Amino acid sequence: MRMYDIIKKKRDGGRFTGQEIRYFIDGYVKDRIPDYQISALLMAIYFRGMDEEETVLLTEAMAASGEQLCLAEIPGITVDKHSTGGVGDKTSLVIVPLVAASGIPVAKMSGRGLGHTGGTIDKLEAIPGFKTEMTMKEFMRSVKRIGIALTGQTGNLAPADKKLYALRDVTATVDNVSLIASSIMSKKIASGAGRILLDVKVGSGAFIKDMEQARKLASIMVKIGNAVGRKTVAVISDMEQPLGYAVGNALEVREAIDTLKGQGPEDLRQLCRELAAVMLVLGEKAADTEQGREMVDALIASGKAMNKFKEFVENQGGNPMAVEDPEHILPRAGKIYEVKASSGGYISRISAEAVGRSAMMLGAGRATKEDTIDLSAGIVLNKKIGDAVEKGEKIACFHYNRTENIREALDLFKQSVEICEQPVEKRETVKDYIYK
Ligand code: URA
């Protein structure tokens, strides 16, 4: 088999066999095939696409490219959750303890933020003392003891995805349905959960910008999960504007704590309620999503979800006082700047991507993997799409310490917001459910 022939086959619109897929994945992981040939292959896939069977085969080959975790020693049905990435997306901080409080074991591996999107690991590191690195032994022991552990990617899980993702990032081949689906599902399969809930984001702040593509991505991921015996459900949710009000690590932890207390922004509460309800069904704690929603409400109202969050923070070395008194214990930026509306009317646009990029310029995110982030920095919105606003009213607060990019961040933020004279409908947060 020659790499040249495999590239040419896809360039000319052909279909890969399983043998060809395993050949290039294995060869790339073992450094036998160079980046320039895989780059050409990725571009051919980008333009020619892959069908469902090829996508399943690619996912299986990527999942098998390294270690695969076995969670069989954990009693009960393990349920994992993955978001395709967005701005202000702190749902994992809310639903992981919530679902664990119901008795479903949660053994979760999460990532860091890159570019305009945030990552759960960075957010948790805003809690003083919180350890996001655990050995496999510590990770399993925690899940068995308190029913919850969350760590960065440990071990050598899906190394093919690590290499391919880095290459896609610099060859403009990220936003392809088959490549996103195989990237996400290979990691989920390798990390061992029995059942999987996917939160597929759609809109300006997401990789996928329209509903048709979002449905296609959700449906192929659900098919892949089910094909390998991991029952999978996807929820499609809005990422046209940031989720909730807070964007930035410590700011988002504060908002997640409010939400666990039954407060918090309406869109975030609603999405967390739906995602957690589906997880309760997947974990066989609820008969249907209606019962799941009732259980979610009860776990929040009784304080059980909040207590589980506190136990989880303490177990991973974090200061539990951060949960009781986030205002004083979480890092706070030294400077706050209020952004005011230039005219009155109704908010018709707050581009999630632009807000994410502005927050990144304030220090809340990294442009490259080597950048250090300011955990206290970010943006707190005061308005969402559909809200009425008066001229001169506060629409957002910038929290920052670093001043070098403030002007650029402000210009970008202002361009991202549009105000019109006519009333504007509020956006729907949950857009669709994909079961097969
Ligand atoms: N998240 C991933 O893990 N992979 C992708 O390709 C896109 C989002």
Side-chain angles (χ1 to χ4, degrees):
M1 211 173 285
R2 288 194 321 156
M3 197 53 205
Y4 175 91
D5 299 320
I6 295 176
I7 298 169
K8 184 166 177 295
K9 186 179 192 185
K10 190 45 85 181
R11 184 200 70 185
D12 298 340
R15 285 184 71 247
F16 294 136
T17 63
Q19 210 187 3
E20 286 163 342
I21 289 175
R22 287 187 291 277
Y23 173 82
F24 68 72
I25 289 297
D26 189 55
Y28 189 43
V29 171
K30 294 190 176 138
D31 289 329
R32 280 198 304 264
I33 301 171
D35 278 354
Y36 56 79
Q37 282 189 307
I38 297 293
S39 302
L41 183 76
L42 288 170
M43 196 54 86
I45 293 173
Y46 188 89
F47 282 115
R48 289 296 192 169
M50 291 198 301
D51 67 17
E52 263 174 42
E53 200 185 327
E54 290 173 290
T55 310
V56 172
L57 289 167
L58 176 61
T59 310
E60 286 174 340
M62 286 166 70
S65 66
E67 264 173 68
Q68 301 209 50
L69 277 190
C70 174
L71 302 180
E73 61 183 275
I74 296 169
I77 301 168
T78 51
V79 185
D80 201 352
K81 175 253 168 194
H82 190 90
S83 154
T84 57
V87 178
D89 183 5
K90 67 283 290 175
T91 51
S92 286
L93 299 180
V94 179
I95 65 176
V96 164
L98 211 167
V99 167
S102 80
I104 293 176
V106 185
K108 182 159 170 55
M109 293 193 183
S110 287
R112 294 192 182 274
L114 188 63
H116 72 282
T117 65
T120 303
I121 291 296
D122 294 328
K123 294 173 205 199
L124 283 168
E125 282 180 352
I127 300 173
F130 195 97
K131 238 172 49 143
T132 55
E133 274 176 28
M134 299 173 102
T135 63
M136 243 9 263
K137 224 169 157 184
E138 286 168 332
F139 181 69
M140 297 294 268
R141 204 187 305 133
S142 296
V143 182
K144 280 195 235 161
R145 199 171 66 77
I146 65 163
I148 180 170
L150 202 152
T151 172
Q153 200 114 319
T154 48
N156 186 30
L157 295 182
D161 179 59
K162 232 170 264 167
K163 286 193 81 176
L164 281 175
Y165 194 86
L167 196 59
R168 284 165 60 209
D169 208 23
V170 294
T171 54
T173 50
V174 169
D175 52 336
N176 171 274
V177 164
S178 290
L179 295 175
I180 296 175
S182 53
S183 162
I184 291 175
M185 292 307 287
S186 62
K187 285 180 289 216
K188 292 292 103 181
I189 293 165
S191 53
R195 312 227 168 144
I196 301 162
L197 167 73
L198 300 166
D199 179 9
V200 176
K201 303 285 188 197
V202 61
S204 81
F207 289 116
I208 300 293
K209 313 286 181 202
D210 66 78
M211 264 315 272
E212 194 191 329
Q213 288 293 303
R215 281 204 185 90
K216 206 169 149 194
L217 174 63
S219 149
I220 180 88
M221 290 198 289
V222 167
K223 281 194 181 121
I224 294 170
N226 292 334
V228 296
R230 317 285 175 97
K231 193 167 177 191
T232 303
V233 176
V235 172
I236 301 179
S237 68
D238 188 48
M239 192 33 70
E240 195 58 36
Q241 61 182 340
L243 183 63
Y245 291 112
V247 179
N249 301 289
L251 298 167
E252 292 191 42
V253 172
R254 215 171 291 173
E255 193 166 86
I257 292 171
D258 285 346
T259 307
L260 279 165
K261 286 181 185 155
Q263 299 149 15
E266 195 187 331
D267 59 344
L268 178 63
R269 270 191 288 133
Q270 195 203 348
L271 180 59
C272 290
R273 189 172 187 249
E274 291 304 304
L275 295 176
V278 176
M279 283 178 86
L280 291 176
V281 176
L282 280 170
E284 297 183 7
K285 293 284 174 192
D288 53 32
T289 37
E290 198 39 56
Q291 194 192 5
R293 288 183 198 107
E294 285 166 16
M295 287 175 69
V296 168
D297 295 344
L299 288 164
I300 288 179
S302 64
K304 283 188 181 158
M306 193 65 195
N307 289 340
K308 186 53 82 177
F309 185 61
K310 205 169 151 193
E311 194 183 4
F312 158 62
V313 166
E314 212 165 357
N315 181 59
Q316 295 197 210
N319 181 350
M321 282 309 289
V323 182
E324 303 273 336
D325 186 12
E327 281 303 308
H328 292 103
I329 306 292
L330 293 176
R332 288 160 73 100
K335 299 182 178 65
I336 293 183
Y337 179 86
E338 291 188 359
V339 186
K340 307 267 174 66
S342 55
S343 61
Y346 297 87
I347 306 279
S348 57
R349 188 173 83 98
I350 308 181
S351 157
E353 177 172 7
V355 175
R357 290 207 181 283
S358 305
M360 188 180 93
M361 287 175 200
L362 298 178
R366 341 178 154 68
T368 71
K369 283 203 173 91
E370 289 70 37
D371 289 351
T372 53
I373 54 179
D374 175 353
L375 293 165
S376 67
I379 296 173
V380 180
L381 302 172
N382 267 64
K383 300 283 178 188
K384 302 277 293 210
I385 293 175
D387 285 348
V389 62
E390 285 177 22
K391 184 173 178 189
E393 198 183 341
K394 183 167 76 179
I395 47 175
C397 280
F398 279 25
H399 294 242
Y400 65 104
N401 296 301
R402 302 176 190 166
T403 50
E404 60 271 23
N405 296 322
I406 180 84
R407 182 88 353 246
E408 209 184 332
L410 197 57
D411 287 347
L412 179 60
F413 181 83
K414 284 185 175 162
Q415 283 162 27
S416 82
V417 178
E418 274 173 21
I419 298 171
C420 70
E421 287 176 8
Q422 304 306 321
V424 175
E425 267 191 42
K426 291 202 181 275
R427 294 189 67 81
E428 252 180 296
T429 309
V430 177
K431 300 173 98 64
D432 208 352
Y433 300 81
I434 307 289
Y435 290 96
K436 58 181 181 339

